[in-house]
Amino acid sequence: MTFDVNVLRSVIEEVMKEMNVEAAPAAPVSPVAVTSKLSLTEGGDAKKGVAADEVVIGLAPAFAYKQHKTMIDLPHDKVLREIIAGIEEEGMNYRFVKVYNSTDLGIIASQGSKLAGSGICVAMQSRGTTVIHQRDLLPLDNLELFPQSPLIELDMYRTIGKNTAKYGKGESPEPVEILNDYMVPSKFLIKSTLMHFKEGKMANRDMAPIDLEVKF
């Protein structure tokens, strides 16, 4: 696959700008952020849940803040609606937690699972990459991983939500079918790189995970 030299040059310049911004101290985040579809209100430091029927939805730093769509332009509000619908269909409750101290999906999910009353967390990066994690697993381990976000459509997010809830109930559901396209990394290289650095710009290693109220 070939790329236009001018496009590559402009991407490199933008990435370098993002890197310079990320190296500076992270700007404080407003406790209330409003998008066209979502109202996000930050609470205090997230505490460990005590309800066995609670799963955590862990969100990466820029999710629905500086970025509002996945890699294939699925609006974040629609993605969250599908995740929630899947969880509720299985009779489980959910809580949103925003993780600022890392952009690594495994770490976000690991922190979320330790805060969930059931010990189960479904975590998402802004580009749509998703994982289902369990409290007693190492960050790089997981119950189910969906690494190629360009292949995840809305109906799949709903099924991921259902499986998250089933794990929370102590069940062993049939894993969601993982789609694979070896051309995805090259097709989305530029967009993926830009989204990664924009995610990093919102990260703050000194912040603990916080509770997040999401209204549609």
Side-chain angles (χ1 to χ4, degrees), residues 113-133:
S113 66
K114 289 178 172 60
L115 294 169
S118 66
I120 300 296
C121 171
V122 55
M124 288 174 282
Q125 293 173 319
S126 295
R127 60 188 175 185
T129 310
T130 305
V131 68
I132 305 175
H133 202 276

PDB file of all heavy atoms in Angstrom, residues 113-133:
ATOM      1  N   SER A 113     -11.707  -3.118  36.473  1.00  0.00           N
ATOM      2  CA  SER A 113     -12.177  -4.382  37.038  1.00  0.00           C
ATOM      3  C   SER A 113     -11.988  -4.429  38.548  1.00  0.00           C
ATOM      4  O   SER A 113     -12.793  -5.024  39.273  1.00  0.00           O
ATOM      5  CB  SER A 113     -11.449  -5.560  36.381  1.00  0.00           C
ATOM      6  OG  SER A 113     -10.064  -5.558  36.693  1.00  0.00           O
ATOM      7  N   LYS A 114     -10.942  -3.790  39.035  1.00  0.00           N
ATOM      8  CA  LYS A 114     -10.695  -3.769  40.483  1.00  0.00           C
ATOM      9  C   LYS A 114     -11.685  -2.860  41.207  1.00  0.00           C
ATOM     10  O   LYS A 114     -11.849  -2.960  42.433  1.00  0.00           O
ATOM     11  CB  LYS A 114      -9.253  -3.316  40.750  1.00  0.00           C
ATOM     12  CG  LYS A 114      -8.200  -4.351  40.361  1.00  0.00           C
ATOM     13  CD  LYS A 114      -6.794  -3.835  40.600  1.00  0.00           C
ATOM     14  CE  LYS A 114      -5.753  -4.939  40.394  1.00  0.00           C
ATOM     15  NZ  LYS A 114      -5.772  -5.494  39.041  1.00  0.00           N
ATOM     16  N   LEU A 115     -12.341  -1.980  40.470  1.00  0.00           N
ATOM     17  CA  LEU A 115     -13.328  -1.082  41.067  1.00  0.00           C
ATOM     18  C   LEU A 115     -14.748  -1.628  40.953  1.00  0.00           C
ATOM     19  O   LEU A 115     -15.652  -1.156  41.643  1.00  0.00           O
ATOM     20  CB  LEU A 115     -13.251   0.289  40.377  1.00  0.00           C
ATOM     21  CG  LEU A 115     -11.952   1.071  40.582  1.00  0.00           C
ATOM     22  CD1 LEU A 115     -11.898   2.265  39.634  1.00  0.00           C
ATOM     23  CD2 LEU A 115     -11.836   1.542  42.033  1.00  0.00           C
ATOM     24  N   ALA A 116     -14.959  -2.610  40.089  1.00  0.00           N
ATOM     25  CA  ALA A 116     -16.298  -3.150  39.856  1.00  0.00           C
ATOM     26  C   ALA A 116     -16.702  -4.109  40.974  1.00  0.00           C
ATOM     27  O   ALA A 116     -15.907  -4.936  41.426  1.00  0.00           O
ATOM     28  CB  ALA A 116     -16.336  -3.879  38.512  1.00  0.00           C
ATOM     29  N   GLY A 117     -17.964  -3.997  41.406  1.00  0.00           N
ATOM     30  CA  GLY A 117     -18.455  -4.900  42.443  1.00  0.00           C
ATOM     31  C   GLY A 117     -18.387  -6.351  42.019  1.00  0.00           C
ATOM     32  O   GLY A 117     -18.131  -7.239  42.838  1.00  0.00           O
ATOM     33  N   SER A 118     -18.598  -6.620  40.733  1.00  0.00           N
ATOM     34  CA  SER A 118     -18.534  -7.988  40.214  1.00  0.00           C
ATOM     35  C   SER A 118     -17.119  -8.398  39.822  1.00  0.00           C
ATOM     36  O   SER A 118     -16.862  -9.566  39.551  1.00  0.00           O
ATOM     37  CB  SER A 118     -19.433  -8.113  38.979  1.00  0.00           C
ATOM     38  OG  SER A 118     -18.916  -7.322  37.909  1.00  0.00           O
ATOM     39  N   GLY A 119     -16.216  -7.413  39.758  1.00  0.00           N
ATOM     40  CA  GLY A 119     -14.853  -7.705  39.326  1.00  0.00           C
ATOM     41  C   GLY A 119     -14.695  -7.754  37.821  1.00  0.00           C
ATOM     42  O   GLY A 119     -13.664  -8.202  37.320  1.00  0.00           O
ATOM     43  N   ILE A 120     -15.712  -7.274  37.084  1.00  0.00           N
ATOM     44  CA  ILE A 120     -15.679  -7.317  35.623  1.00  0.00           C
ATOM     45  C   ILE A 120     -15.759  -5.904  35.058  1.00  0.00           C
ATOM     46  O   ILE A 120     -16.567  -5.087  35.505  1.00  0.00           O
ATOM     47  CB  ILE A 120     -16.840  -8.163  35.055  1.00  0.00           C
ATOM     48  CG1 ILE A 120     -16.748  -9.599  35.568  1.00  0.00           C
ATOM     49  CG2 ILE A 120     -16.830  -8.129  33.533  1.00  0.00           C
ATOM     50  CD1 ILE A 120     -15.511 -10.363  35.109  1.00  0.00           C
ATOM     51  N   CYS A 121     -14.931  -5.633  34.059  1.00  0.00           N
ATOM     52  CA  CYS A 121     -14.917  -4.329  33.405  1.00  0.00           C
ATOM     53  C   CYS A 121     -14.850  -4.508  31.898  1.00  0.00           C
ATOM     54  O   CYS A 121     -14.129  -5.377  31.404  1.00  0.00           O
ATOM     55  CB  CYS A 121     -13.707  -3.504  33.871  1.00  0.00           C
ATOM     56  SG  CYS A 121     -13.423  -1.975  32.937  1.00  0.00           S
ATOM     57  N   VAL A 122     -15.617  -3.690  31.182  1.00  0.00           N
ATOM     58  CA  VAL A 122     -15.442  -3.569  29.739  1.00  0.00           C
ATOM     59  C   VAL A 122     -14.839  -2.189  29.513  1.00  0.00           C
ATOM     60  O   VAL A 122     -15.362  -1.190  29.985  1.00  0.00           O
ATOM     61  CB  VAL A 122     -16.770  -3.745  28.964  1.00  0.00           C
ATOM     62  CG1 VAL A 122     -17.840  -2.785  29.437  1.00  0.00           C
ATOM     63  CG2 VAL A 122     -16.528  -3.592  27.460  1.00  0.00           C
ATOM     64  N   ALA A 123     -13.696  -2.134  28.845  1.00  0.00           N
ATOM     65  CA  ALA A 123     -12.974  -0.874  28.662  1.00  0.00           C
ATOM     66  C   ALA A 123     -12.818  -0.561  27.191  1.00  0.00           C
ATOM     67  O   ALA A 123     -12.698  -1.469  26.355  1.00  0.00           O
ATOM     68  CB  ALA A 123     -11.600  -0.944  29.330  1.00  0.00           C
ATOM     69  N   MET A 124     -12.810   0.755  26.895  1.00  0.00           N
ATOM     70  CA  MET A 124     -12.716   1.187  25.506  1.00  0.00           C
ATOM     71  C   MET A 124     -11.779   2.366  25.345  1.00  0.00           C
ATOM     72  O   MET A 124     -11.755   3.266  26.184  1.00  0.00           O
ATOM     73  CB  MET A 124     -14.107   1.586  24.988  1.00  0.00           C
ATOM     74  CG  MET A 124     -15.039   0.432  24.760  1.00  0.00           C
ATOM     75  SD  MET A 124     -16.698   1.018  24.314  1.00  0.00           S
ATOM     76  CE  MET A 124     -17.287   1.495  25.944  1.00  0.00           C
ATOM     77  N   GLN A 125     -11.003   2.331  24.287  1.00  0.00           N
ATOM     78  CA  GLN A 125     -10.238   3.492  23.858  1.00  0.00           C
ATOM     79  C   GLN A 125     -11.108   4.327  22.923  1.00  0.00           C
ATOM     80  O   GLN A 125     -12.126   3.853  22.399  1.00  0.00           O
ATOM     81  CB  GLN A 125      -8.969   3.056  23.132  1.00  0.00           C
ATOM     82  CG  GLN A 125      -7.955   2.349  24.021  1.00  0.00           C
ATOM     83  CD  GLN A 125      -6.791   1.790  23.225  1.00  0.00           C
ATOM     84  OE1 GLN A 125      -6.991   1.249  22.138  1.00  0.00           O
ATOM     85  NE2 GLN A 125      -5.588   1.892  23.764  1.00  0.00           N
ATOM     86  N   SER A 126     -10.705   5.554  22.683  1.00  0.00           N
ATOM     87  CA  SER A 126     -11.494   6.441  21.839  1.00  0.00           C
ATOM     88  C   SER A 126     -11.677   5.889  20.428  1.00  0.00           C
ATOM     89  O   SER A 126     -12.713   6.090  19.797  1.00  0.00           O
ATOM     90  CB  SER A 126     -10.832   7.825  21.772  1.00  0.00           C
ATOM     91  OG  SER A 126     -10.847   8.440  23.042  1.00  0.00           O
ATOM     92  N   ARG A 127     -10.675   5.196  19.921  1.00  0.00           N
ATOM     93  CA  ARG A 127     -10.777   4.679  18.548  1.00  0.00           C
ATOM     94  C   ARG A 127     -11.695   3.469  18.440  1.00  0.00           C
ATOM     95  O   ARG A 127     -11.993   3.012  17.347  1.00  0.00           O
ATOM     96  CB  ARG A 127      -9.396   4.338  18.014  1.00  0.00           C
ATOM     97  CG  ARG A 127      -8.646   3.289  18.809  1.00  0.00           C
ATOM     98  CD  ARG A 127      -7.221   3.165  18.317  1.00  0.00           C
ATOM     99  NE  ARG A 127      -6.423   2.252  19.111  1.00  0.00           N
ATOM    100  CZ  ARG A 127      -5.123   2.065  18.931  1.00  0.00           C
ATOM    101  NH1 ARG A 127      -4.493   2.737  17.984  1.00  0.00           N
ATOM    102  NH2 ARG A 127      -4.453   1.222  19.692  1.00  0.00           N
ATOM    103  N   GLY A 128     -12.150   2.934  19.586  1.00  0.00           N
ATOM    104  CA  GLY A 128     -13.102   1.838  19.576  1.00  0.00           C
ATOM    105  C   GLY A 128     -12.565   0.493  19.998  1.00  0.00           C
ATOM    106  O   GLY A 128     -13.328  -0.463  20.170  1.00  0.00           O
ATOM    107  N   THR A 129     -11.249   0.370  20.158  1.00  0.00           N
ATOM    108  CA  THR A 129     -10.664  -0.874  20.634  1.00  0.00           C
ATOM    109  C   THR A 129     -11.240  -1.202  22.008  1.00  0.00           C
ATOM    110  O   THR A 129     -11.335  -0.328  22.863  1.00  0.00           O
ATOM    111  CB  THR A 129      -9.140  -0.756  20.726  1.00  0.00           C
ATOM    112  OG1 THR A 129      -8.639  -0.235  19.498  1.00  0.00           O
ATOM    113  CG2 THR A 129      -8.509  -2.104  20.995  1.00  0.00           C
ATOM    114  N   THR A 130     -11.625  -2.448  22.220  1.00  0.00           N
ATOM    115  CA  THR A 130     -12.389  -2.823  23.410  1.00  0.00           C
ATOM    116  C   THR A 130     -11.856  -4.120  24.010  1.00  0.00           C
ATOM    117  O   THR A 130     -11.328  -4.975  23.307  1.00  0.00           O
ATOM    118  CB  THR A 130     -13.876  -2.994  23.042  1.00  0.00           C
ATOM    119  OG1 THR A 130     -14.352  -1.799  22.414  1.00  0.00           O
ATOM    120  CG2 THR A 130     -14.729  -3.271  24.267  1.00  0.00           C
ATOM    121  N   VAL A 131     -12.014  -4.257  25.335  1.00  0.00           N
ATOM    122  CA  VAL A 131     -11.603  -5.480  26.019  1.00  0.00           C
ATOM    123  C   VAL A 131     -12.538  -5.728  27.200  1.00  0.00           C
ATOM    124  O   VAL A 131     -13.058  -4.787  27.798  1.00  0.00           O
ATOM    125  CB  VAL A 131     -10.133  -5.381  26.505  1.00  0.00           C
ATOM    126  CG1 VAL A 131      -9.984  -4.359  27.622  1.00  0.00           C
ATOM    127  CG2 VAL A 131      -9.605  -6.736  26.967  1.00  0.00           C
ATOM    128  N   ILE A 132     -12.755  -7.010  27.499  1.00  0.00           N
ATOM    129  CA  ILE A 132     -13.469  -7.395  28.718  1.00  0.00           C
ATOM    130  C   ILE A 132     -12.443  -7.991  29.665  1.00  0.00           C
ATOM    131  O   ILE A 132     -11.703  -8.905  29.300  1.00  0.00           O
ATOM    132  CB  ILE A 132     -14.580  -8.429  28.431  1.00  0.00           C
ATOM    133  CG1 ILE A 132     -15.546  -7.904  27.363  1.00  0.00           C
ATOM    134  CG2 ILE A 132     -15.349  -8.745  29.721  1.00  0.00           C
ATOM    135  CD1 ILE A 132     -16.593  -8.924  26.942  1.00  0.00           C
ATOM    136  N   HIS A 133     -12.395  -7.459  30.880  1.00  0.00           N
ATOM    137  CA  HIS A 133     -11.333  -7.831  31.825  1.00  0.00           C
ATOM    138  C   HIS A 133     -11.925  -8.296  33.149  1.00  0.00           C
ATOM    139  O   HIS A 133     -13.026  -7.898  33.522  1.00  0.00           O
ATOM    140  CB  HIS A 133     -10.408  -6.621  32.060  1.00  0.00           C
ATOM    141  CG  HIS A 133      -9.047  -6.980  32.550  1.00  0.00           C
ATOM    142  ND1 HIS A 133      -8.763  -7.214  33.872  1.00  0.00           N
ATOM    143  CD2 HIS A 133      -7.873  -7.146  31.895  1.00  0.00           C
ATOM    144  CE1 HIS A 133      -7.486  -7.494  34.014  1.00  0.00           C
ATOM    145  NE2 HIS A 133      -6.918  -7.464  32.817  1.00  0.00           N
TER     146      HIS A 133
END
